[in-house]
Amino acid sequence: MEAETDLTFDSVELPVETCDLSIRDTEPLCCEENKQLSQSSQPEQREDCSERSCREGWRGRRKMRKTNSFKMVRFQEPSEEESVSERDSTTETLFPLHVVDEWTTSGFEELFMSEEWHDITEDRLLRKKILEPGCPPCPNWGEEVTVSMQAVLEDRTVVEKDNKLVFVIGEGDVSQALEEGVLSMQKGEITLLLADSQYTYGHLGRQPDIPAWAPLLYQLQLSDVRQKADPQTLPIAERIRIGNHKRERGNFYFQREEYNRAARAYCMGLEVLTTRCTGNNAAEAEQDEIKDYRLKCLNNLAMAQLKLEQNEEALKTCDEALQLDPHNVKALFRSGKLLSDKGQYKEAMELLKRALKLEPSTKAIHAELSKLVKRQSGGQDPKPVKAPYTLGEGKTPFLFSKKTQSSGLSWKLLLGALIVALASLVISVILTACN
């Protein structure tokens, strides 16, 4: 990993293909991309049309901002015959024998009101129509399923397609619409699933293909249902693959500011990324790789917990990260800041000095150390006192004290003279009266 040059308290470790692994804030990344988008001369016509139809044709919902987001994390079994991009880009239907009007031409508002569709949820915002029945029973929460699926917008633009999508129900690997829809299906069943935006990608959408507030129409087939495998029984390479997918999914939720779901994804990644002691050199190398991914999950989990204001949990997470790597700058910095906020200045100073030694050019560490020194001094900044003498204005605290003393003596002399004058006047009056 490259050296981290700009340490921020809001940084999350992101995959290489989406972001640099250095310590950085996620919000400036979004701002930079928005700036690039605003500089483009003319956006694509299809995107404008889809956003306009979503904004005007679907219940008059207002368009809201989009944020930089990851592409959908797909948990696919590897295939040597065709790549993921080839499967996703083709417009051919996965179910040529079940091409119906609802899939090709019908408006979504009409389908939401149709009596031929069954409601999966009470709010009538997630509905299905069975094209081919399956065999019972239905899958349960926590079971692993394999489905063939494709999804389209109302203008029938294909935005998701996978003929072998594998996920565990309830772990947040896919949209809520897919999880709820699969729970209502039987093995072998082919169905149409109509989902409102609140069950898919909501007010943020998913750049660049799914606009904000966009409902989706899915065509699904439940191919297989099985029990989820115990992570401890899986080979180390498989655990690394699954754990890394969980971490990437957490990054997806984090950038959408869905911090609860991000923290949950990171925790599930940590459950998979465990090591077992062995003397095999190859296995030890894989264990080192597991520790590396585990450290990334811990750092990202701590950042999500900080966003949720779960400071005590974040401090424990940072401590666990430091047990894996005592020289991890992110964990040292965040632990030091959290301890400083708790008033444990001595421990905070030690951690921040260690972080500064590892990253001496990082401005955030210098700023936090300055803040800590100010807190230790009771909130008083000694610099303004030293400034007049340092700047050479010819004034020192010693000269100021002399001036103050001379001013005090002059007032005392005046007061003494006044008392003497009054005493003389009183004496003269008394003598005159006696005479």
Side-chain angles (χ1 to χ4, degrees):
M1 184 170 63
E2 297 179 359
E4 297 155 334
T5 57
D6 188 14
L7 179 69
T8 65
F9 198 52
D10 299 336
S11 60
V12 171
E13 296 185 5
L14 303 177
V16 176
E17 60 270 16
T18 55
C19 179
D20 186 9
L21 288 178
S22 60
I23 301 177
R24 103 176 21 171
D25 193 347
T26 56
E27 293 181 359
L29 178 64
C30 300
C31 297
E32 184 65 23
E33 293 198 353
N34 290 336
K35 191 181 298 182
Q36 294 176 0
L37 290 174
S38 63
Q39 292 174 353
S40 59
S41 59
Q42 184 176 0
E44 295 183 3
Q45 187 68 24
R46 188 182 72 178
E47 183 177 353
D48 288 346
C49 294
S50 62
E51 289 185 2
R52 191 180 302 112
S53 64
C54 176
R55 182 170 61 251
E56 299 176 358
W58 178 246
R59 301 182 180 180
R61 282 178 171 165
R62 182 180 59 180
K63 178 184 176 184
M64 299 182 68
R65 68 181 180 89
K66 297 180 184 178
T67 61
N68 174 46
S69 62
F70 286 77
K71 63 184 179 180
M72 179 180 179
V73 180
R74 304 189 185 278
F75 295 78
Q76 297 168 328
E77 296 180 3
S79 173
E80 298 180 356
E81 297 179 357
E82 54 181 353
S83 64
V84 173
S85 59
E86 288 174 345
R87 285 201 298 266
D88 292 345
S89 61
T90 177
T91 57
E92 295 181 1
T93 178
L94 295 177
F95 311 97
L97 299 179
H98 297 87
V99 178
V100 293
D101 292 340
E102 290 93 338
W103 178 250
T104 56
T105 58
S106 299
F108 283 4
E109 189 168 1
E110 176 187 348
L111 299 182
F112 273 111
M113 299 301 175
S114 175
E115 297 297 330
E116 298 179 358
W117 289 62
H118 304 288
D119 295 322
I120 298 177
T121 57
E122 295 181 357
D123 54 15
R124 295 178 61 90
L125 296 180
L126 188 62
R127 315 192 74 203
K128 64 179 287 188
K129 181 179 180 180
I130 299 176
L131 302 180
E132 181 177 316
C135 302
C138 297
N140 299 312
W141 285 96
E143 291 185 325
E144 188 175 70
V145 296
T146 301
V147 299
S148 299
M149 59 81 69
Q150 55 186 350
V152 296
L153 298 171
E154 191 166 11
D155 62 359
R156 281 6 185 225
T157 300
V158 178
V159 291
E160 292 181 358
K161 188 172 184 180
D162 195 333
N163 60 5
K164 207 170 187 181
L165 176 64
V166 180
F167 62 93
V168 177
I169 302 176
E171 292 194 354
D173 297 337
V174 294
S175 65
Q176 186 180 355
L178 282 176
E179 289 191 334
E180 297 283 355
V182 169
L183 279 173
S184 69
M185 299 175 65
Q186 297 176 345
K187 185 176 180 180
E189 177 182 323
I190 299 178
T191 189
L192 291 178
L193 180 69
L194 182 63
D196 181 74
S197 60
Q198 75 177 55
Y199 288 98
T200 55
Y201 296 96
H203 70 283
L204 297 178
R206 191 193 70 193
Q207 289 190 349
D209 49 359
I210 301 180
W213 299 120
L216 295 179
L217 178 61
Y218 293 90
Q219 198 170 24
L220 303 172
Q221 181 178 24
L222 179 57
S223 305
D224 190 22
V225 181
R226 55 194 172 276
Q227 291 295 322
K228 175 186 174 182
D230 182 2
Q232 299 300 324
T233 63
L234 297 175
I236 291 181
E238 183 68 9
R239 279 184 280 155
I240 291 175
R241 183 187 68 83
I242 296 175
N244 197 37
H245 281 323
K246 299 293 184 185
R247 181 177 61 87
E248 290 178 356
R249 194 64 180 174
N251 293 345
F252 172 80
Y253 288 131
F254 188 93
Q255 287 207 334
R256 294 172 63 87
E257 300 180 2
E258 300 178 35
Y259 301 123
N260 275 309
R261 302 182 75 176
R264 185 165 176 264
Y266 295 138
C267 287
M268 288 188 293
L270 290 171
E271 291 177 1
V272 178
L273 294 171
T274 56
T275 59
R276 291 173 294 186
C277 296
T278 178
N280 190 299
N281 292 333
E284 288 179 359
E286 291 178 331
Q287 288 176 6
D288 291 338
E289 190 175 0
I290 280 186
K291 287 182 180 179
D292 182 54
Y293 284 120
R294 186 174 179 82
L295 184 62
K296 292 178 180 179
C297 274
L298 287 169
N299 278 329
N300 291 1
L301 174 60
M303 192 64 250
Q305 290 168 336
L306 287 170
K307 290 292 187 181
L308 295 169
E309 299 182 356
Q310 299 173 352
N311 293 343
E312 290 297 330
E313 291 80 357
L315 186 58
K316 293 178 182 178
T317 303
C318 290
D319 289 341
E320 188 175 350
L322 289 175
Q323 290 177 8
L324 286 178
D325 181 10
H327 303 294
N328 187 268
V329 179
K330 286 184 180 180
L332 288 170
F333 174 76
R334 291 169 185 157
S335 294
K337 188 178 190 308
L338 287 168
L339 290 173
S340 176
D341 293 339
K342 291 179 64 177
Q344 300 179 17
Y345 300 138
K346 183 178 179 180
E347 296 84 352
M349 180 67 73
E350 180 182 353
L351 291 173
L352 290 174
K353 283 183 176 179
R354 286 169 57 189
L356 184 63
K357 186 177 180 180
L358 294 168
E359 292 286 347
S361 62
T362 302
K363 296 179 181 179
I365 302 177
H366 286 279
E368 194 60 37
L369 278 169
S370 300
K371 193 185 300 182
L372 178 56
V373 171
K374 186 175 181 180
R375 286 177 176 176
Q376 285 181 316
S377 62
Q380 297 179 355
D381 192 352
K383 290 184 179 179
V385 179
K386 296 181 179 179
Y389 179 75
T390 304
L391 294 176
E393 295 181 0
K395 298 179 180 179
T396 65
F398 178 74
L399 293 178
F400 280 117
S401 63
K402 274 193 171 183
K403 183 178 179 181
T404 303
Q405 289 177 2
S406 63
S407 177
L409 288 173
S410 64
W411 281 108
K412 289 179 180 179
L413 290 174
L414 289 174
L415 183 60
L418 180 61
I419 292 173
V420 170
L422 289 174
S424 300
L425 180 62
V426 170
I427 293 172
S428 63
V429 171
I430 293 175
L431 292 176
T432 304
C434 291
N435 292 333

